[in-house]
């Protein structure tokens, strides 16, 4: 198990859609284990493959940040099949260190995915879990949280990021 480097905005890999996983092999298992270790070390509650520079449709989530094994989810080829409601709340992203923005997301989502053996799984999430599932699956489509806010807010966030990159504080 290895802790991988987390890719930061504006690396192009973060803006590219991922490809479906077709081989459920040891390599996939190893990548998933490394992503879980990387998410826990960060620490974070979710991590998608592009954030470690990979283009597989794979993400990991753990709202307990390692405290409760039952909360760990490894989702292969996930997609949101239902979304209900809309709530605005503050969120962050490991690819945007220390940047918190208010983002609208569904209040409840239903996600279909596969496990590491290729078996179909279905997850219903509300509130923070819905937000996290939606955020991570967005990553797999090359969509970032700054893409979910108004152009004005996006501009402000980009300016802030540019200043921090120039100050080498990113
Ligand atoms: Zn993120």
């Amino acid at each position: 198990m290895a802790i991988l480097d987390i890719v930061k905005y504006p690396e192009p890999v973060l803006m590219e859609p991922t490809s479906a996983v077709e081989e459920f092999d040891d390599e996939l298992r190893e990548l998933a284990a490394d992503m879980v270790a990387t998410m826990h070390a960060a620490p974070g509650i979710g991590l998608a493959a592009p954030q470690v520079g990979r283009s597989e449709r794979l993400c990991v989530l753990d709202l307990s940040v390692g405290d409760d094994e039952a909360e760990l989810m490894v989702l292969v080829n996930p997609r949101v099949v239902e979304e209900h409601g809309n709530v605005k709340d503050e969120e962050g992203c490991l690819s945007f260190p220390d940047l918190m923005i208010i983002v609208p997301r569904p209040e409840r989502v239903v996600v279909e995915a596969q496990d590491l053996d290729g078996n179909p799984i279905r997850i219903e999430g509300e509130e923070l879990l819905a937000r996290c599932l939606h955020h991570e699956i967005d990553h797999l489509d090359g969509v970032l949280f700054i893409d979910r806010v108004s152009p004005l807010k996006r501009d402000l966030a980009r300016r802030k990021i540019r200043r921090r990159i120039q100050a080498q504080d990113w």
Side-chain angles (χ1 to χ4, degrees), residues 2-3 6 10-11 13 16 18 27 42 46-47 54 63 86 92 96 139 149 151 159:
I3 299 203
I6 294 179
E11 283 291 323
V13 68
E16 289 158 12
T18 52
E27 208 180 305
L47 186 70
R54 302 283 295 243
L63 296 193
N86 193 282
F96 293 77
H139 271 299
V149 300
R159 243 178 282 165

PDB file of all heavy atoms in Angstrom, residues 2-3 6 10-11 13 16 18 27 42 46-47 54 63 86 92 96 139 149 151 159:
ATOM      1  N   ALA A   2       0.518   2.185  -0.826  1.00  0.00           N
ATOM      2  CA  ALA A   2       1.350   3.390  -0.943  1.00  0.00           C
ATOM      3  C   ALA A   2       0.480   4.628  -0.857  1.00  0.00           C
ATOM      4  O   ALA A   2      -0.685   4.594  -1.252  1.00  0.00           O
ATOM      5  CB  ALA A   2       2.088   3.368  -2.270  1.00  0.00           C
ATOM      6  N   ILE A   3       1.083   5.670  -0.334  1.00  0.00           N
ATOM      7  CA  ILE A   3       0.389   6.960  -0.345  1.00  0.00           C
ATOM      8  C   ILE A   3       0.805   7.681  -1.620  1.00  0.00           C
ATOM      9  O   ILE A   3       1.988   7.864  -1.884  1.00  0.00           O
ATOM     10  CB  ILE A   3       0.736   7.751   0.926  1.00  0.00           C
ATOM     11  CG1 ILE A   3       0.260   6.905   2.103  1.00  0.00           C
ATOM     12  CG2 ILE A   3       0.103   9.148   0.871  1.00  0.00           C
ATOM     13  CD1 ILE A   3      -0.013   7.566   3.365  1.00  0.00           C
ATOM     14  N   ILE A   6      -1.239  13.711  -4.437  1.00  0.00           N
ATOM     15  CA  ILE A   6      -2.532  14.251  -4.860  1.00  0.00           C
ATOM     16  C   ILE A   6      -2.294  15.370  -5.867  1.00  0.00           C
ATOM     17  O   ILE A   6      -1.503  16.280  -5.638  1.00  0.00           O
ATOM     18  CB  ILE A   6      -3.351  14.731  -3.649  1.00  0.00           C
ATOM     19  CG1 ILE A   6      -3.716  13.512  -2.784  1.00  0.00           C
ATOM     20  CG2 ILE A   6      -4.610  15.480  -4.100  1.00  0.00           C
ATOM     21  CD1 ILE A   6      -4.497  13.823  -1.533  1.00  0.00           C
ATOM     22  N   PRO A  10      -4.463  23.527 -11.395  1.00  0.00           N
ATOM     23  CA  PRO A  10      -5.204  23.206 -12.622  1.00  0.00           C
ATOM     24  C   PRO A  10      -4.563  22.122 -13.488  1.00  0.00           C
ATOM     25  O   PRO A  10      -4.520  22.258 -14.706  1.00  0.00           O
ATOM     26  CB  PRO A  10      -5.182  24.548 -13.356  1.00  0.00           C
ATOM     27  CG  PRO A  10      -3.821  25.134 -13.019  1.00  0.00           C
ATOM     28  CD  PRO A  10      -3.439  24.567 -11.658  1.00  0.00           C
ATOM     29  N   GLU A  11      -4.121  21.004 -12.900  1.00  0.00           N
ATOM     30  CA  GLU A  11      -3.582  19.908 -13.716  1.00  0.00           C
ATOM     31  C   GLU A  11      -4.666  19.420 -14.690  1.00  0.00           C
ATOM     32  O   GLU A  11      -5.795  19.151 -14.262  1.00  0.00           O
ATOM     33  CB  GLU A  11      -3.155  18.739 -12.816  1.00  0.00           C
ATOM     34  CG  GLU A  11      -1.834  18.945 -12.103  1.00  0.00           C
ATOM     35  CD  GLU A  11      -0.641  18.941 -13.039  1.00  0.00           C
ATOM     36  OE1 GLU A  11      -0.645  18.166 -14.013  1.00  0.00           O
ATOM     37  OE2 GLU A  11       0.282  19.745 -12.806  1.00  0.00           O
ATOM     38  N   VAL A  13      -5.387  16.625 -16.032  1.00  0.00           N
ATOM     39  CA  VAL A  13      -6.037  15.326 -15.772  1.00  0.00           C
ATOM     40  C   VAL A  13      -7.327  15.500 -14.957  1.00  0.00           C
ATOM     41  O   VAL A  13      -8.265  14.701 -15.089  1.00  0.00           O
ATOM     42  CB  VAL A  13      -5.049  14.354 -15.069  1.00  0.00           C
ATOM     43  CG1 VAL A  13      -4.720  14.801 -13.639  1.00  0.00           C
ATOM     44  CG2 VAL A  13      -5.576  12.924 -15.047  1.00  0.00           C
ATOM     45  N   GLU A  16     -10.419  16.027 -17.294  1.00  0.00           N
ATOM     46  CA  GLU A  16     -10.718  15.042 -18.340  1.00  0.00           C
ATOM     47  C   GLU A  16     -11.638  13.942 -17.817  1.00  0.00           C
ATOM     48  O   GLU A  16     -11.428  13.438 -16.716  1.00  0.00           O
ATOM     49  CB  GLU A  16      -9.404  14.401 -18.834  1.00  0.00           C
ATOM     50  CG  GLU A  16      -8.561  15.358 -19.652  1.00  0.00           C
ATOM     51  CD  GLU A  16      -7.086  14.967 -19.703  1.00  0.00           C
ATOM     52  OE1 GLU A  16      -6.747  13.838 -19.300  1.00  0.00           O
ATOM     53  OE2 GLU A  16      -6.286  15.814 -20.129  1.00  0.00           O
ATOM     54  N   THR A  18     -13.028  10.252 -17.203  1.00  0.00           N
ATOM     55  CA  THR A  18     -12.297   8.987 -17.040  1.00  0.00           C
ATOM     56  C   THR A  18     -12.878   7.914 -17.964  1.00  0.00           C
ATOM     57  O   THR A  18     -13.931   8.099 -18.562  1.00  0.00           O
ATOM     58  CB  THR A  18     -12.426   8.511 -15.585  1.00  0.00           C
ATOM     59  OG1 THR A  18     -13.814   8.487 -15.238  1.00  0.00           O
ATOM     60  CG2 THR A  18     -11.684   9.444 -14.641  1.00  0.00           C
ATOM     61  N   GLU A  27      -4.356  -5.240 -10.193  1.00  0.00           N
ATOM     62  CA  GLU A  27      -3.896  -3.861 -10.413  1.00  0.00           C
ATOM     63  C   GLU A  27      -4.954  -2.863  -9.937  1.00  0.00           C
ATOM     64  O   GLU A  27      -4.640  -1.852  -9.312  1.00  0.00           O
ATOM     65  CB  GLU A  27      -3.639  -3.672 -11.911  1.00  0.00           C
ATOM     66  CG  GLU A  27      -2.589  -2.635 -12.230  1.00  0.00           C
ATOM     67  CD  GLU A  27      -2.394  -2.516 -13.745  1.00  0.00           C
ATOM     68  OE1 GLU A  27      -2.114  -3.551 -14.386  1.00  0.00           O
ATOM     69  OE2 GLU A  27      -2.562  -1.397 -14.266  1.00  0.00           O
ATOM     70  N   ALA A  42      -4.643  12.101   3.960  1.00  0.00           N
ATOM     71  CA  ALA A  42      -4.747  13.525   3.572  1.00  0.00           C
ATOM     72  C   ALA A  42      -5.071  14.495   4.733  1.00  0.00           C
ATOM     73  O   ALA A  42      -4.345  15.486   4.879  1.00  0.00           O
ATOM     74  CB  ALA A  42      -5.718  13.688   2.410  1.00  0.00           C
ATOM     75  N   GLY A  46     -13.254  11.753   0.626  1.00  0.00           N
ATOM     76  CA  GLY A  46     -13.480  11.191  -0.700  1.00  0.00           C
ATOM     77  C   GLY A  46     -12.282  11.474  -1.593  1.00  0.00           C
ATOM     78  O   GLY A  46     -11.584  12.476  -1.413  1.00  0.00           O
ATOM     79  N   LEU A  47     -12.045  10.565  -2.538  1.00  0.00           N
ATOM     80  CA  LEU A  47     -10.930  10.753  -3.476  1.00  0.00           C
ATOM     81  C   LEU A  47     -11.280  10.031  -4.772  1.00  0.00           C
ATOM     82  O   LEU A  47     -11.741   8.886  -4.752  1.00  0.00           O
ATOM     83  CB  LEU A  47      -9.638  10.183  -2.875  1.00  0.00           C
ATOM     84  CG  LEU A  47      -8.342  10.428  -3.653  1.00  0.00           C
ATOM     85  CD1 LEU A  47      -7.928  11.899  -3.603  1.00  0.00           C
ATOM     86  CD2 LEU A  47      -7.215   9.556  -3.103  1.00  0.00           C
ATOM     87  N   ARG A  54      -4.821   9.431 -12.364  1.00  0.00           N
ATOM     88  CA  ARG A  54      -5.244   8.239 -13.104  1.00  0.00           C
ATOM     89  C   ARG A  54      -6.562   8.497 -13.828  1.00  0.00           C
ATOM     90  O   ARG A  54      -7.322   9.369 -13.443  1.00  0.00           O
ATOM     91  CB  ARG A  54      -5.414   7.067 -12.135  1.00  0.00           C
ATOM     92  CG  ARG A  54      -4.161   6.752 -11.353  1.00  0.00           C
ATOM     93  CD  ARG A  54      -3.176   5.998 -12.212  1.00  0.00           C
ATOM     94  NE  ARG A  54      -3.742   4.702 -12.545  1.00  0.00           N
ATOM     95  CZ  ARG A  54      -3.217   3.532 -12.171  1.00  0.00           C
ATOM     96  NH1 ARG A  54      -2.108   3.489 -11.463  1.00  0.00           N
ATOM     97  NH2 ARG A  54      -3.790   2.404 -12.518  1.00  0.00           N
ATOM     98  N   LEU A  63     -16.799   8.647   5.055  1.00  0.00           N
ATOM     99  CA  LEU A  63     -17.200   9.792   5.874  1.00  0.00           C
ATOM    100  C   LEU A  63     -16.598   9.715   7.274  1.00  0.00           C
ATOM    101  O   LEU A  63     -16.516  10.719   7.969  1.00  0.00           O
ATOM    102  CB  LEU A  63     -18.734   9.889   5.979  1.00  0.00           C
ATOM    103  CG  LEU A  63     -19.522  10.144   4.700  1.00  0.00           C
ATOM    104  CD1 LEU A  63     -20.958  10.528   5.042  1.00  0.00           C
ATOM    105  CD2 LEU A  63     -18.909  11.203   3.815  1.00  0.00           C
ATOM    106  N   ASN A  86     -32.241  19.955  -3.611  1.00  0.00           N
ATOM    107  CA  ASN A  86     -31.063  20.772  -3.868  1.00  0.00           C
ATOM    108  C   ASN A  86     -30.720  21.529  -2.599  1.00  0.00           C
ATOM    109  O   ASN A  86     -31.577  22.180  -2.025  1.00  0.00           O
ATOM    110  CB  ASN A  86     -31.384  21.740  -5.018  1.00  0.00           C
ATOM    111  CG  ASN A  86     -30.145  22.405  -5.552  1.00  0.00           C
ATOM    112  OD1 ASN A  86     -29.626  23.345  -4.949  1.00  0.00           O
ATOM    113  ND2 ASN A  86     -29.642  21.916  -6.666  1.00  0.00           N
ATOM    114  N   GLY A  92     -15.079  21.346   0.427  1.00  0.00           N
ATOM    115  CA  GLY A  92     -13.691  21.475   0.007  1.00  0.00           C
ATOM    116  C   GLY A  92     -13.333  20.342  -0.927  1.00  0.00           C
ATOM    117  O   GLY A  92     -14.177  19.500  -1.243  1.00  0.00           O
ATOM    118  N   PHE A  96      -7.838  21.172  -4.138  1.00  0.00           N
ATOM    119  CA  PHE A  96      -7.891  22.632  -3.943  1.00  0.00           C
ATOM    120  C   PHE A  96      -7.593  22.915  -2.467  1.00  0.00           C
ATOM    121  O   PHE A  96      -8.508  23.198  -1.691  1.00  0.00           O
ATOM    122  CB  PHE A  96      -9.283  23.172  -4.278  1.00  0.00           C
ATOM    123  CG  PHE A  96      -9.683  23.088  -5.722  1.00  0.00           C
ATOM    124  CD1 PHE A  96     -10.086  21.869  -6.276  1.00  0.00           C
ATOM    125  CD2 PHE A  96      -9.694  24.220  -6.536  1.00  0.00           C
ATOM    126  CE1 PHE A  96     -10.489  21.789  -7.611  1.00  0.00           C
ATOM    127  CE2 PHE A  96     -10.095  24.144  -7.868  1.00  0.00           C
ATOM    128  CZ  PHE A  96     -10.487  22.927  -8.405  1.00  0.00           C
ATOM    129  N   HIS A 139     -15.942  14.323 -10.367  1.00  0.00           N
ATOM    130  CA  HIS A 139     -14.516  14.215 -10.720  1.00  0.00           C
ATOM    131  C   HIS A 139     -14.313  13.230 -11.865  1.00  0.00           C
ATOM    132  O   HIS A 139     -13.466  13.431 -12.732  1.00  0.00           O
ATOM    133  CB  HIS A 139     -13.707  13.694  -9.529  1.00  0.00           C
ATOM    134  CG  HIS A 139     -13.188  14.763  -8.603  1.00  0.00           C
ATOM    135  ND1 HIS A 139     -12.322  15.751  -9.018  1.00  0.00           N
ATOM    136  CD2 HIS A 139     -13.394  14.970  -7.291  1.00  0.00           C
ATOM    137  CE1 HIS A 139     -12.015  16.527  -7.974  1.00  0.00           C
ATOM    138  NE2 HIS A 139     -12.665  16.088  -6.917  1.00  0.00           N
ATOM    139  N   VAL A 149     -20.528  26.383  -9.424  1.00  0.00           N
ATOM    140  CA  VAL A 149     -20.955  27.668  -8.857  1.00  0.00           C
ATOM    141  C   VAL A 149     -21.117  28.698  -9.978  1.00  0.00           C
ATOM    142  O   VAL A 149     -20.771  28.432 -11.135  1.00  0.00           O
ATOM    143  CB  VAL A 149     -19.973  28.166  -7.768  1.00  0.00           C
ATOM    144  CG1 VAL A 149     -19.877  27.147  -6.629  1.00  0.00           C
ATOM    145  CG2 VAL A 149     -18.588  28.454  -8.326  1.00  0.00           C
ATOM    146  N   PRO A 151     -20.631  31.894 -12.497  1.00  0.00           N
ATOM    147  CA  PRO A 151     -19.406  32.375 -13.148  1.00  0.00           C
ATOM    148  C   PRO A 151     -18.661  33.407 -12.291  1.00  0.00           C
ATOM    149  O   PRO A 151     -17.432  33.415 -12.266  1.00  0.00           O
ATOM    150  CB  PRO A 151     -19.919  33.017 -14.443  1.00  0.00           C
ATOM    151  CG  PRO A 151     -21.210  32.325 -14.720  1.00  0.00           C
ATOM    152  CD  PRO A 151     -21.796  31.997 -13.370  1.00  0.00           C
ATOM    153  N   ARG A 159      -9.180  33.511  -9.206  1.00  0.00           N
ATOM    154  CA  ARG A 159      -8.246  34.595  -8.897  1.00  0.00           C
ATOM    155  C   ARG A 159      -7.489  34.307  -7.602  1.00  0.00           C
ATOM    156  O   ARG A 159      -6.289  34.520  -7.512  1.00  0.00           O
ATOM    157  CB  ARG A 159      -8.996  35.928  -8.800  1.00  0.00           C
ATOM    158  CG  ARG A 159      -8.524  36.900  -9.889  1.00  0.00           C
ATOM    159  CD  ARG A 159      -9.280  38.187  -9.835  1.00  0.00           C
ATOM    160  NE  ARG A 159     -10.595  38.018 -10.429  1.00  0.00           N
ATOM    161  CZ  ARG A 159     -11.601  38.876 -10.275  1.00  0.00           C
ATOM    162  NH1 ARG A 159     -11.454  39.944  -9.493  1.00  0.00           N
ATOM    163  NH2 ARG A 159     -12.741  38.679 -10.877  1.00  0.00           N
TER     164      ARG A 159
END
